Amino acid sequence: MSQENRHPLDDIFHPGSVAIVGASASGPPEAGWVARLLRFGYSGRIYPVNPRATEISGLKAYPSVRDIPDAVDFAIFNVPARLTPQVMQDCAAKRVKVVHIFTAGFSETGKEEAKRLEASVAAIARSGKVRVIGPNCMGIYYPAGGLTFNPTFAREPGKVAFVSQTGAGATRFVFLANDRGVHFSKVISYGNALDLDAPDFLDYLADDDETGIIGCYIEGVKDGRRFLSAVKKCLSSKPVIIMKAGLTESGAGAAASHTASLAGSVSVWDAFFKQTGVIRVESLEEMADVDLAWLRISCPKGRRVGIVGRGGGIGVIATDTCEHAGLKVPPFLPETRKQLEEIIPEAGATVRNPVETAQSVSSTADFYGRGLKIVAADPQIDFIITHIALDIYGGRQAAMREQLLKAAQALITTVPTLPKPLAVVLYAGEHLETVSAVFEARDQLLKAGIAVYPTIEAAARAVSQLIRYNEFSRRSG
Amino acid sequence: MSQENRHPLDDIFHPGSVAIVGASASGPPEAGWVARLLRFGYSGRIYPVNPRATEISGLKAYPSVRDIPDAVDFAIFNVPARLTPQVMQDCAAKRVKVVHIFTAGFSETGKEEAKRLEASVAAIARSGKVRVIGPNCMGIYYPAGGLTFNPTFAREPGKVAFVSQTGAGATRFVFLANDRGVHFSKVISYGNALDLDAPDFLDYLADDDETGIIGCYIEGVKDGRRFLSAVKKCLSSKPVIIMKAGLTESGAGAAASHTASLAGSVSVWDAFFKQTGVIRVESLEEMADVDLAWLRISCPKGRRVGIVGRGGGIGVIATDTCEHAGLKVPPFLPETRKQLEEIIPEAGATVRNPVETAQSVSSTADFYGRGLKIVAADPQIDFIITHIALDIYGGRQAAMREQLLKAAQALITTVPTLPKPLAVVLYAGEHLETVSAVFEARDQLLKAGIAVYPTIEAAARAVSQLIRYNEFSRRSG
């Protein structure tokens, strides 16, 4: 990339060198920023800065940023808040392009002294032309470039970006997504946004070829017009999912105290979601569910779902849940029911929709081979949700695991042959044996490119969001 | 108990002998009804009935019920539907008091022939004075009497009763409850309710000293007046929780096909819940959560909650979640905040409410000892929710488990000394290492009598339901 075409934010994701100011010389080595980057495979130069150390994690340490002999593109501040003005001055002198202030204790405390400190750091950065992420945030996770704030995040890059005003929430979200087989292009936790703010990151991600879908956790927006404009730019080429926190009375107070944010009014945000077509989610779990749907499920042609799984009452509950999520569960055609009855040996298993597979987990695998084709062929339905509730198969025997894995294999063989999309629900209950078996089956299915959800509600809501987004895009475009 | 005072349903829970008709001579021994009762410690006489076997699970088998030499109080039918009239005739001849028809394939299929079969079985039972549970259901779980439809359910009895129109759902519910440390007085899965129906069981449980709280999963009610009257009788002495399924358009169709139920209208059920004060839940998970709250949390004096846990954004989300559940999260008094600031070493940790514990799991344990007392003393709040999100502590190292267990021990020591109720949330994420550590800590806390929930939402909703129920009870006198 030539210097002229370089977006200022490219320095964040492609630094040739990183200084860790306040690199930790004590504590477990895996806990420090230096070790995180080393372990995660960052291939640029790393400069630990710590006046009381000569070496950290095998790298030479420097007393200050000014003492580093080479150029520094990116610096991470892990120093007490009161030291940040001095470190920022050092960075300005060293012409560091961008810094991430991990340190907290600024405007979010609500204290005048801390607000003044944040303003003075901002002024030094501005005059020194240093761009800033933070303070009070986790910074960058960019697996393709070996950057991370947690070395146990997936190394594999993907198409999902996440822009987050919460750091702990960003950590949670990456794990939730990784555990669904969802991988990331770029994740930015930006905290108090002293300089770079959500619109800057969104603007960058709109043009980012590595990013196919963008999620945001937002507590407050400083410049509504800029935010709206950046979101619209993204939407012209990719879906945007937003979780807006702090919209209750108590929540707004908590947001002010967390990131010094003004949470805004419910009606303004309602209008924002309605007008833009941004996918609105109520939790980070739901955001990960929608990402998974976008990655693994081709959007159904309509809202009519065929439900396949054991348990009559559980089927009734599943049906209510789908309808609450904005889907329909119409009865199958008589011809479909007749064909299903022929392959389900058990009396009492319903075939109306939901269809009950036979009683054991092993016969579930047998059913998938023939039954899913019959269900998928019914013109009354647009897509399928299969669910296995491992918890209800009584006993928590080891045999369950084997049979569940057999059922997963049957899905892996069958799903690609079906003419309609399918989401799998593996419900684990809250017992370690069933959870462990379900996670193993889940991981095999995800690896095969099949979307797996922990509950019917999660699957139904995610697919419904996908359908809604596509409907909106068709109408507006 | 003298014969005169004996409630007819006592024969269900206290049979001196049980015949298993269609006892399985093949298949894994733990799968059959005979082995279930043997393994579960039923101490009465068990008579396997199977014309093609002489011995099952070490017990002499009989060709028919008529051939059993002694009296039979209770019989379980595990035979094909077409054989049930003959077996019912045998039971009538043998003066069996009550039977459980596990067999499905009756009116729930919607087929005329199957409906006629059900009617004929009902007629034989009526004229022979045999009471019937089912068909198409799991029957009885009565741990105090050694009766169960699943041998892996907890053997320990408790105060919770559950009356269920779903069998698989009843299995799910018992496991969900057991995994929350909730134990049962009596569970009845009654399916199509050819004879004994929800009102019969409720009427019995209203007077049952072993039962302190009653849950119901209902798809449809045949006699609304009888149902209402039985519910009111229960409510005069104990809370009733109902999950009403099939209230969506598609769900009503599914309910008809599952248990031949008429689901009823939304407005009628809305009025029912509003007028009676029955606790309305939307899922079996929520029912287990409310049972846990009722067992382990003394009802708070008001709706104001203090939230304690790590993660600023996660605290904001928690606050929104509590308010959505009908709670309030008011700011602590300045005095409380000052005291909290003194014991939290970290800059940037909020103390307004939510209060952030320090950054590591181990310092969470340290915080509990002093911090919870300070929070509990604040007159602005009525109860506390503490949450530990193990997923956000980065890395999924073994040390996490130890630190989490230390935090759990700190709660076990501290919670009994607090002047206000407290619910613990342990959020596990969806990774086996964190789930496994969380389950271990959860079980230790539950054993110590502390309520543990998997999510903030679950805790907030359950406590809110408890408060609403108590408010209603006070109003109605």
Side-chain angles (χ1 to χ4, degrees):
Chain A
M1 199 180 301
S2 74
Q3 271 312 108
E4 298 95 272
N5 293 333
R6 199 171 168 86
H7 191 286
L9 293 194
D10 270 328
D11 293 318
I12 295 177
F13 297 107
H14 301 283
S17 57
V18 179
I20 312 291
V21 190
S24 177
S26 59
E30 75 279 8
W33 285 96
V34 174
R36 271 174 211 160
L37 295 189
L38 283 173
R39 204 177 132 190
F40 208 66
Y42 170 66
S43 62
R45 296 179 306 279
I46 302 173
Y47 301 111
V49 174
N50 184 333
R52 287 181 308 279
T54 53
E55 192 190 291
I56 288 172
S57 297
L59 298 171
K60 178 174 162 54
Y62 299 87
S64 89
V65 173
R66 292 179 201 249
D67 300 311
I68 297 169
D70 309 300
V72 174
D73 291 337
F74 185 38
I76 297 172
F77 290 20
N78 182 31
V79 296
R82 65 189 157 76
L83 299 182
T84 49
Q86 178 59 53
V87 175
M88 189 61 86
Q89 271 162 1
D90 293 347
C91 286
K94 187 73 189 169
R95 296 177 183 251
V96 174
K97 288 167 187 157
V98 58
V99 305
H100 156 217
I101 308 180
F102 170 64
T103 309
F106 293 91
S107 60
E108 82 280 3
T109 61
K111 291 178 184 162
E112 285 312 315
E113 191 191 331
K115 285 182 194 171
R116 278 196 300 273
L117 184 67
E118 184 168 312
S120 79
V121 172
I124 299 164
R126 218 163 23 241
S127 72
K129 295 201 173 105
V130 181
R131 303 306 304 260
V132 181
I133 305 171
N136 183 27
C137 67
M138 300 306 295
I140 302 296
Y141 164 50
Y142 176 45
L147 296 172
T148 192
F149 47 89
N150 188 310
T152 58
F153 286 167
R155 292 280 291 273
E156 184 185 339
K159 300 293 283 179
V160 175
F162 184 52
V163 176
S164 179
Q165 218 164 350
T166 164
T171 302
R172 165 170 297 178
F173 181 68
V174 173
F175 283 134
L176 283 171
N178 284 173
D179 284 332
R180 282 164 175 74
V182 171
H183 296 101
F184 289 91
S185 54
K186 279 127 184 160
V187 173
I188 306 129
S189 151
Y190 65 88
N192 297 8
L194 161 165
D195 169 25
L196 293 165
D197 203 347
D200 298 295
F201 301 113
L202 291 172
D203 182 78
Y204 177 76
L205 294 170
D207 294 327
D208 180 34
D209 291 338
E210 293 178 338
T211 296
I213 184 167
I214 301 167
C216 268
Y217 169 90
I218 294 282
E219 290 182 359
V221 163
K222 283 170 189 156
D223 181 342
R225 194 169 302 198
R226 252 192 97 209
F227 181 75
L228 180 63
S229 147
V231 165
K232 281 188 174 165
K233 185 180 167 194
C234 294
L235 284 169
S236 69
S237 62
K238 51 196 85 172
V240 176
I241 313 168
I242 292 181
M243 175 174 178
K244 175 61 184 80
L247 280 180
T248 63
E249 190 194 330
S250 307
S257 161
H258 174 222
T259 50
S261 290
L262 289 171
S265 80
V266 172
S267 60
V268 166
W269 280 97
D270 284 350
F272 166 83
F273 284 106
K274 205 174 159 195
Q275 285 165 20
T276 55
V278 163
I279 300 168
R280 178 181 209 161
V281 296
E282 301 300 329
S283 68
L284 296 172
E285 289 83 352
E286 188 185 357
M287 190 181 288
D289 291 336
V290 174
D291 281 328
L292 175 60
W294 179 80
L295 281 169
R296 300 292 182 214
I297 298 175
S298 37
C299 188
K301 294 207 164 43
R303 302 184 157 274
R304 301 167 308 164
V305 57
I307 302 175
V308 175
R310 181 70 196 170
I314 286 174
V316 177
I317 299 170
T319 304
D320 281 343
T321 302
C322 284
E323 194 152 319
H324 284 142
L327 306 173
K328 283 287 165 192
V329 190
F332 295 128
L333 291 182
E335 175 57 20
T336 307
R337 298 195 216 178
K338 204 166 146 264
Q339 289 179 48
L340 288 171
E341 269 176 356
E342 278 164 20
I343 66 163
I344 298 173
E346 253 168 89
T350 57
V351 292
R352 181 188 179 274
N353 191 19
V355 51
E356 273 198 284
T357 56
Q359 200 162 2
S360 67
V361 186
S362 54
S363 50
T364 299
D366 297 339
F367 176 83
Y368 287 149
R370 294 186 292 163
L372 290 181
K373 282 189 181 65
I374 299 170
V375 171
D378 191 305
Q380 293 293 97
I381 66 127
D382 304 303
F383 71 107
I384 301 173
I385 293 177
T386 65
H387 62 96
I388 301 180
L390 198 64
D391 62 319
I392 64 164
Y393 285 97
R396 284 141 169 184
Q397 305 94 328
M400 286 291 142
R401 177 187 296 261
E402 249 176 79
Q403 290 173 15
L404 179 67
L405 294 176
K406 211 179 129 196
Q409 285 307 314
L411 285 170
I412 290 170
T413 312
T414 308
V415 172
T417 70
L418 298 176
K420 289 173 188 166
L422 182 146
V424 175
V425 173
L426 300 180
Y427 183 90
E430 298 173 12
H431 198 81
L432 198 57
E433 266 183 56
T434 49
V435 170
S436 151
V438 160
F439 283 1
E440 192 176 345
R442 173 195 70 181
D443 292 347
Q444 292 186 6
L445 285 160
L446 289 172
K447 215 174 151 190
I450 296 170
V452 185
Y453 290 92
T455 62
I456 304 267
E457 192 181 4
R461 249 182 352 199
V463 176
S464 188
Q465 293 272 28
L466 194 64
I467 296 170
R468 197 176 297 133
Y469 172 76
N470 276 20
E471 284 170 353
F472 187 94
S473 303
R474 270 203 305 275
R475 273 205 310 279
S476 355
Chain B
M1 199 179 304
S2 74
Q3 273 310 110
E4 300 92 272
N5 293 333
R6 199 170 170 86
H7 191 287
L9 294 193
D10 270 328
D11 293 317
I12 295 177
F13 297 106
H14 302 283
S17 57
V18 179
I20 312 291
V21 190
S24 178
S26 60
E30 75 276 11
W33 285 97
V34 174
R36 272 174 211 162
L37 295 190
L38 282 174
R39 204 175 133 191
F40 208 66
Y42 171 66
S43 61
R45 295 178 306 278
I46 303 173
Y47 301 110
V49 175
N50 183 334
R52 287 180 308 281
T54 53
E55 192 189 291
I56 289 173
S57 298
L59 297 171
K60 176 174 164 51
Y62 299 86
S64 88
V65 173
R66 292 179 200 247
D67 300 312
I68 298 168
D70 309 299
V72 175
D73 291 337
F74 185 36
I76 297 172
F77 290 19
N78 181 32
V79 296
R82 66 189 155 76
L83 299 182
T84 48
Q86 178 60 53
V87 176
M88 189 61 85
Q89 272 162 3
D90 293 347
C91 287
K94 188 72 189 171
R95 296 178 183 254
V96 175
K97 290 169 186 156
V98 58
V99 305
H100 155 218
I101 308 180
F102 170 63
T103 309
F106 293 91
S107 61
E108 82 281 4
T109 61
K111 291 178 185 162
E112 286 312 315
E113 192 190 330
K115 286 182 193 170
R116 277 196 300 272
L117 184 67
E118 185 169 312
S120 79
V121 172
I124 299 164
R126 218 165 22 243
S127 71
K129 295 201 172 104
V130 181
R131 304 306 305 259
V132 182
I133 304 171
N136 183 26
C137 67
M138 299 306 295
I140 302 296
Y141 164 49
Y142 176 46
L147 296 173
T148 193
F149 48 89
N150 188 311
T152 57
F153 287 167
R155 292 280 291 273
E156 186 184 339
K159 299 293 283 177
V160 175
F162 184 52
V163 176
S164 179
Q165 218 164 350
T166 164
T171 302
R172 165 169 297 176
F173 181 68
V174 172
F175 282 134
L176 284 171
N178 283 172
D179 284 333
R180 280 164 176 75
V182 171
H183 296 102
F184 289 91
S185 56
K186 278 126 184 160
V187 174
I188 306 128
S189 152
Y190 65 88
N192 296 8
L194 162 165
D195 169 24
L196 293 165
D197 202 348
D200 298 295
F201 301 112
L202 290 171
D203 182 78
Y204 177 75
L205 294 169
D207 293 328
D208 179 34
D209 291 338
E210 293 178 339
T211 296
I213 185 168
I214 301 168
C216 268
Y217 168 90
I218 294 281
E219 291 182 358
V221 163
K222 283 170 190 156
D223 181 340
R225 193 169 302 199
R226 254 193 93 210
F227 182 76
L228 180 63
S229 148
V231 166
K232 282 188 173 163
K233 185 180 166 194
C234 295
L235 285 168
S236 70
S237 62
K238 50 194 87 171
V240 176
I241 313 169
I242 292 182
M243 173 172 180
K244 173 63 184 80
L247 281 181
T248 63
E249 189 194 330
S250 308
S257 160
H258 174 223
T259 48
S261 289
L262 289 172
S265 79
V266 172
S267 60
V268 165
W269 280 96
D270 284 351
F272 166 84
F273 283 107
K274 204 173 159 194
Q275 286 165 19
T276 55
V278 164
I279 300 169
R280 177 181 208 159
V281 296
E282 301 299 330
S283 68
L284 296 171
E285 289 83 352
E286 188 184 359
M287 190 181 289
D289 291 336
V290 174
D291 281 328
L292 176 60
W294 179 81
L295 280 169
R296 300 293 182 212
I297 298 174
S298 36
C299 188
K301 293 205 163 47
R303 303 185 157 272
R304 302 165 309 162
V305 56
I307 302 176
V308 175
R310 180 70 195 171
I314 286 173
V316 177
I317 299 170
T319 304
D320 281 342
T321 301
C322 285
E323 194 152 318
H324 284 142
L327 305 173
K328 284 284 166 194
V329 190
F332 295 128
L333 291 182
E335 176 58 18
T336 306
R337 300 195 215 178
K338 202 165 149 263
Q339 290 179 48
L340 287 171
E341 268 175 358
E342 279 164 20
I343 66 164
I344 298 173
E346 255 169 86
T350 57
V351 292
R352 181 189 178 273
N353 191 18
V355 52
E356 274 197 283
T357 56
Q359 201 161 359
S360 68
V361 186
S362 54
S363 51
T364 299
D366 296 339
F367 176 84
Y368 287 150
R370 293 185 292 165
L372 289 180
K373 281 190 182 64
I374 299 170
V375 171
D378 191 304
Q380 293 292 98
I381 65 128
D382 304 303
F383 70 106
I384 301 173
I385 293 178
T386 65
H387 62 97
I388 300 180
L390 198 64
D391 63 319
I392 66 165
Y393 284 99
R396 285 144 168 180
Q397 304 95 328
M400 287 293 140
R401 176 186 297 262
E402 249 176 81
Q403 290 173 17
L404 179 67
L405 294 177
K406 209 177 132 197
Q409 284 307 315
L411 284 170
I412 289 170
T413 313
T414 308
V415 172
T417 70
L418 299 176
K420 289 174 190 166
L422 182 146
V424 174
V425 173
L426 300 180
Y427 182 90
E430 298 173 13
H431 199 80
L432 198 57
E433 265 183 57
T434 49
V435 170
S436 151
V438 160
F439 283 2
E440 191 176 345
R442 173 196 69 181
D443 293 346
Q444 291 186 7
L445 285 159
L446 289 172
K447 214 174 151 187
I450 296 170
V452 184
Y453 290 92
T455 62
I456 303 268
E457 193 182 4
R461 251 187 346 204
V463 177
S464 189
Q465 292 273 29
L466 194 64
I467 295 169
R468 196 176 300 132
Y469 172 78
N470 276 21
E471 283 170 357
F472 187 95
S473 304
R474 269 203 304 275
R475 272 205 311 278
S476 348

